[in-house]
């Protein structure tokens, strides 16, 4: 699964949208000037998981990680 991730200048994740591998990228509204957007692969999140587990893993990413803008990749807080 791919994660389209919006983040601020400090790498704090503002939002995450999931997109299946090989699928179309979702349409994303314009970002505020102080935010950037990257696409990061998330092999531990797949469409085979139930919605509750996907949301649990996304919450974990948002609370335990931030975006390394030079990566792009998730790094521990």
């Amino acid at each position: 699964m791919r994660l389209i991730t919006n983040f601020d200048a400090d790498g704090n994740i503002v939002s995450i949208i999931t997109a299946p591998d090989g699928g179309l990228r979702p349409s994303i509204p314009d970002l505020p000037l102080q935010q950037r957007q990257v696409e990061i692969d998330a092999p531990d999140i797949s469409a085979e998981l139930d919605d509750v587990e996907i949301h649990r893993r996304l919450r974990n990413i948002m609370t335990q990680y931030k975006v390394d803008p030079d990566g792009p990749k998730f790094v521990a807080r």
Side-chain angles (χ1 to χ4, degrees):
M1 182 92 46
R2 298 172 297 143
L3 303 179
I4 292 81
T5 307
N6 295 348
F7 62 99
D8 67 16
D10 296 321
N12 299 306
I13 300 169
V14 176
S15 65
I16 296 178
I17 298 172
T18 60
D21 294 328
L24 296 175
R25 184 178 176 144
S27 176
I28 309 295
D30 292 336
L31 296 173
L33 292 176
Q34 64 274 24
Q35 291 182 16
R36 291 180 49 201
Q37 185 177 92
V38 294
E39 187 174 306
I40 301 174
D41 186 45
D44 60 330
I45 299 176
S46 70
E48 287 79 36
L49 297 171
D50 64 46
D51 288 346
V52 172
E53 182 61 19
I54 290 172
H55 286 243
R56 186 189 70 74
R57 292 181 187 200
L58 291 173
R59 271 192 314 273
N60 181 58
I61 290 170
M62 290 186 77
T63 58
Q64 301 298 318
Y65 297 90
K66 63 182 188 174
V67 174
D68 177 356
D70 297 325
K73 61 185 176 185
F74 295 120
V75 294
R77 291 188 170 276

